[in-house]
């Protein structure tokens, strides 16, 4: 019997190579696509057919007459989600045009739904396109946020959008009780299968191109009281996410993600609900500079970091590239 020894055993000598460097047939056993067109959603910024203002170079900014063809093209490319935004009109202090029959948003939803039954349509229950101050919320005469009126307003918008064909509605103003108000309004109208997807919006300059085009820059110049502070975003996002889930949220959208990938990772570890990563309008110039291969790598990183769905202005370009190289 050999006596035990305290001498370290020699390290085993590798007799082959790592599977990641092995023959193509073996690598193929383990490879998984890092990104597919079905992972992507696209923002659609709908403008009136008679719009005469400047249009920044943002993909998805189209006149109402082009909504159907745009949605049909994206669907054919394998994109499975669209978030609709509409240029506001007839603005007033109470954002009443958002509730008017036949407003631009309702016509956009109808056109998008007519284009394809296979696309998941998401809208925002928000007043920023309809209030004269560009704010998401309604105010009381003394200037304070009118919580009850805003909750009712968001609920009515959500019901209108769902009845027009939206699959998911996003309460945008980050007010306690807003998700519950929207969920209750939908349920009260028998719209139990319509999802509620609130935003986890971190304060950033990366919303600027969207706000400039859609005229949603608030008169106050910022929305800091209704958005998460960047320096506290890792912690505050988790707190807010748990509140939204308790109020009845089915899924969550984190925005922006270019400067919050760490938050996305932490949020994924904390939550099991579907997460949407929104690569906002201010990220588009950076993605353009990266080029399409770099953009696809970036979007793939968001998927690995925990996103179940990626909303990006680069969706069409990325889907075309993926279709050409991995189809």
């Amino acid at each position: 019997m050999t006596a035990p020894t305290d001498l370290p055993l020699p390290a085993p000598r590798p007799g082959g190579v790592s599977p990641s460097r092995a023959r193509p047939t073996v690598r193929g056993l383990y490879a998984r696509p890092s990104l597919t067109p079905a992972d992507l959603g696209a923002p659609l910024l709908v403008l009136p057919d008679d719009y005469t203002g400047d249009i920044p170079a943002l993909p998805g900014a189209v006149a109402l007459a082009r909504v159907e063809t745009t949605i049909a093209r994206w669907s054919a490319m394998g994109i499975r989600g669209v978030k609709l935004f509409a240029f506001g009109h007839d603005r007033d202090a109470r954002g009443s045009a958002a509730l008017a029959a036949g407003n631009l948003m309702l016509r956009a939803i109808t056109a998008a739904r007519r284009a394809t039954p296979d696309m998941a349509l998401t809208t925002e229950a928000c007043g920023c396109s309809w209030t004269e101050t560009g704010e998401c919320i309604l105010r009381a005469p003394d200037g304070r946020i009118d919580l009850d009126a805003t909750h009712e307003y968001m609920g009515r918008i959500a019901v209108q959008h769902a009845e027009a064909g939206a699959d998911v509605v996003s309460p945008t103003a980050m007010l306690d009780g807003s998700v519950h108000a929207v969920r209750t309004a939908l349920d009260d109208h028998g719209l139990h299968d319509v999802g509620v997807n609130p935003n986890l919006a971190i304060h950033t300059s990366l919303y600027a191109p969207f706000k400039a085009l859609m005229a949603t820059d608030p008169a106050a110049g910022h929305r800091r009281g209704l958005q998460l502070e960047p320096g506290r975003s890792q912690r505050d996002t988790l707190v807010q996410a748990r509140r939204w889930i308790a109020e009845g949220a089915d899924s969550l959208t984190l925005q922006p993600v270019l400067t919050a990938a760490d938050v996305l990772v932490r949020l994924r570890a904390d939550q099991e609900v579907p997460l949407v990563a929104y690569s906002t309008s201010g990220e588009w110039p950076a993605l353009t500079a990266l080029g399409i291969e770099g953009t696809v790598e970036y979007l793939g990183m968001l998927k690995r970091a925990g996103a179940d769905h990626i909303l990006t202005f680069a969706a069409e370009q990325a889907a075309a590239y993926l279709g050409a190289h991995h189809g």
Side-chain angles (χ1 to χ4, degrees):
M1 185 176 203
T2 305
T5 176
D6 293 330
L7 294 177
L9 296 174
R13 296 178 61 84
V17 295
S18 165
S20 64
R21 301 193 305 271
R23 297 178 179 180
T25 52
V26 178
R27 291 200 305 272
L29 294 177
Y30 310 125
R32 297 292 182 272
S34 58
L35 191 72
T36 71
D39 295 317
L40 304 174
L44 189 65
L45 315 184
V46 182
L47 305 170
D49 289 329
D50 59 356
Y51 180 82
T52 57
D54 295 332
I55 300 179
L58 281 176
V62 302
L64 177 63
R66 292 178 52 203
V67 167
E68 285 191 60
T69 56
T70 302
I71 295 285
R73 182 175 71 251
W74 288 348
S75 180
M77 299 175 75
I79 296 170
R80 287 291 169 261
V82 168
K83 192 163 192 175
L84 288 162
F85 302 89
F87 187 87
H89 49 81
D90 303 323
R91 299 173 186 238
D92 61 27
R94 308 307 286 177
S96 55
L99 301 172
N103 66 41
L104 183 62
M105 174 59 91
L106 297 178
R107 285 180 285 156
I109 297 169
T110 300
R113 187 81 290 160
R114 192 165 53 233
T116 173
D118 300 325
M119 189 78 77
L121 303 182
T122 302
T123 65
E124 292 200 337
C126 182
C128 65
S129 287
W130 311 98
T131 56
E132 59 191 9
T133 58
E135 293 185 295
C136 302
I137 44 82
L138 303 181
R139 293 196 179 274
D142 62 4
R144 291 183 296 177
I145 296 173
D146 190 334
L147 274 176
D148 290 341
T150 301
H151 287 162
E152 180 187 8
Y153 181 65
M154 295 170 74
R156 292 177 65 190
I157 291 174
V159 169
Q160 276 196 329
H161 291 185
E163 290 180 339
D167 299 299
V168 180
V169 179
S170 292
T172 303
M174 294 180 60
L175 300 172
D176 282 358
S178 59
V179 172
H180 175 73
V182 167
R183 180 71 270 163
T184 299
L186 292 170
D187 289 347
D188 286 347
H189 286 78
L191 298 163
H192 306 289
D193 58 347
V194 174
V196 178
N197 173 277
N199 289 335
L200 296 164
I202 300 169
H203 182 73
T204 180
S205 64
L206 295 176
Y207 307 128
F210 173 94
K211 291 192 296 183
L213 173 61
M214 306 301 277
T216 60
D217 208 2
H222 60 79
R223 293 191 172 90
R224 293 199 86 120
L226 300 173
Q227 294 175 337
L228 302 171
E229 285 294 322
R232 292 179 50 88
S233 56
Q234 275 203 357
R235 290 171 291 171
D236 289 354
T237 298
L238 300 190
V239 172
Q240 193 65 57
R242 292 167 187 169
R243 287 177 177 171
W244 289 157
I245 297 302
E247 288 191 23
D250 304 291
S251 56
L252 302 164
T253 289
L254 176 67
Q255 60 183 51
V257 288
L258 178 65
T259 53
D262 59 322
V263 180
L264 175 59
V265 171
R266 194 163 180 184
L267 183 62
R268 175 77 291 161
D270 188 71
Q271 291 293 333
E272 295 295 333
V273 300
L275 299 180
V276 179
Y278 187 4
S279 176
T280 55
S281 60
E283 300 182 33
W284 169 245
L287 298 184
T288 302
L290 274 178
I292 188 58
E293 291 186 357
T295 295
V296 169
E297 290 179 14
Y298 165 65
L299 299 175
M301 178 274 293
L302 297 179
K303 182 179 176 180
R304 294 194 309 274
D308 298 286
H309 185 65
I310 302 163
L311 186 65
T312 172
F313 287 87
E316 181 169 350
Q317 292 79 3
Y321 176 87
L322 292 167
H325 290 77
H326 305 291

